[in-house]
Amino acid sequence: MKVIEHINKAKSTLFSIEILPPLKGKSIQSIFDGIDPLMEFKPSFVDVTYHREEYLYKKREGGYLEKVSIRKRPGTVGICAAIINKYHVDTVPHIICGGFSREETENALIDLQFLGIDNVLALRGDSIKSEPEFVPEPNGHHYAIDLVKQITQMNHGRYMENDLADVAPTNFCIGVAGYPEKHFEAPNMISDMKHLKNKIDAGAEYIVTQMFFDNEQYFSYLKKCRDMGITVPIIPGLKIMTSKKQATALSKIFKIDIPQPLLEQIEKCKTDEQAKEVGVEWCIQQSKELIKANVPCLHYYTMGTSEVTRRVASEVF
Ligand code: FAD
């Protein structure tokens, strides 16, 4: 079932989670072990992130450095199919522009359709770690909107080879990312939101936000989106802080603000265990306030920490 259908038929705020594929070589059991404790809260859908290749330099005989491309966390599509099969819960594979030509994207979408996956989160993806800026593949997409357009075309039965006869249209519900504190590359908020609106106009049906720790960021973003004519559901994304160093690491990685009261509480903690308690309590309060404001769904970035997500969910759902 589509994410938008879940939202439209819901009578109260839904619960959903995002998980990462395990590191290459690890078993899928780690995914099931993370999901099992959360099943009692009946997640409406599970997002599975996509991780593109990275380049490493390996030392070879004679001291030469060889540039090798590796994907540390493959398996997005397989995990989605396995979750549907095991739990009968809808999944949302993330698909990105980076590393894909248009044809490879088309083929990936055909696989998803054949597997019975109804949803995709369409993203640009970040640049490769060793590259200063995002570089599209030859004949690939530069921005998420181009990916949204391609999926929408396929939903209308238009594939890349336009002489195909009797084609079956796909039927994906498309989600996109939004940034309450602005995407770090955008010159200003209005410019970023105009690009967001374009993604909706191109066929995206809902937005999932980047994590934020101050609900005012979400409420203000929601208002700006509505003022700009963006009417689709905007799902808040929440992360539970679980260690002292995350206060600076999350801010650096995701280009977000950590509110001063939270930072002060974390700084007072002597151990990660204490910081985790602060993080759980902070997220419970955030979640309760968002539910009170009737948000469509609370989407938790579990990042391998399902135990704390379970604690938060048991307080708010
Ligand atoms: P876009 O919407 O393409 O925007 C990127 C930047 O370009 C923005 O600054 C925007 O303002 C600007 N822009 C957009 N269109 C245009 C245009 N036509 N002309 C000029 N400028 C434009 N990354 C992964 O690699 N894998 C994942 O699984 C993943 N999951 C994510 C899930 C969520 C909910 C979020 C919020 C992010 C996720 N990311 C993931 C990170 C994401 O890929 C990065 O934040 C990336 O830098 C931007 O992706 P986007 O889809 O928002 O890009």
Side-chain angles (χ1 to χ4, degrees), residues 193-251:
M193 293 186 62
K194 278 186 177 163
H195 293 307
L196 177 66
K197 170 103 170 43
N198 290 342
K199 291 194 280 191
I200 305 304
D201 293 345
E205 291 180 85
Y206 70 99
I207 296 163
V208 184
T209 75
Q210 180 58 282
M211 66 181 75
F212 57 88
F213 289 89
D214 177 356
N215 285 350
E216 284 312 313
Q217 299 277 10
Y218 172 83
F219 294 134
S220 142
Y221 187 62
L222 185 67
K223 178 165 186 331
K224 284 186 207 137
C225 286
R226 298 301 183 234
D227 288 350
M228 194 168 255
I230 297 172
T231 56
V232 299
I234 302 180
I235 299 176
L238 295 177
K239 159 90 180 96
I240 305 161
M241 211 174 270
T242 53
S243 70
K244 274 171 75 78
K245 73 168 193 292
Q246 280 189 354
T248 42
L250 294 175
S251 172

Side-chain angles (χ1 to χ4, degrees), residues 49-50 94 123-126 143-144 179 183 186 192 195 199 301:
T49 56
Y50 188 93
H94 292 190
L123 301 144
R124 187 195 68 180
D126 282 322
Y143 293 108
Y179 302 82
H183 184 261
D192 202 26
H195 293 307
K199 291 194 280 191
Y301 297 112

Side-chain angles (χ1 to χ4, degrees), residues 38-92:
L38 299 174
M39 285 313 290
E40 68 174 284
F41 306 107
K42 300 190 171 38
S44 299
F45 53 93
V46 177
D47 275 51
V48 185
T49 56
Y50 188 93
H51 300 257
R52 69 176 301 184
E53 74 281 11
E54 293 173 29
Y55 290 118
L56 294 180
Y57 287 91
K58 293 214 165 164
K59 211 167 201 174
R60 298 295 185 213
E61 223 173 290
Y64 291 111
L65 289 177
E66 188 190 353
K67 189 178 177 185
V68 288
S69 158
I70 58 158
R71 277 190 63 208
K72 288 189 182 166
R73 293 182 186 273
T76 302
V77 176
I79 291 170
C80 286
I83 290 173
I84 293 178
N85 191 35
K86 185 171 163 67
Y87 300 101
H88 308 288
V89 168
D90 287 298
T91 54
V92 186

Side-chain angles (χ1 to χ4, degrees), residues 286-305:
Q286 262 196 289
S287 304
K288 284 184 173 169
E289 190 182 26
L290 289 164
I291 289 178
K292 225 171 157 185
N294 276 327
V295 298
C297 177
L298 288 179
H299 186 68
Y300 292 92
Y301 297 112
T302 65
M303 292 183 175
T305 55

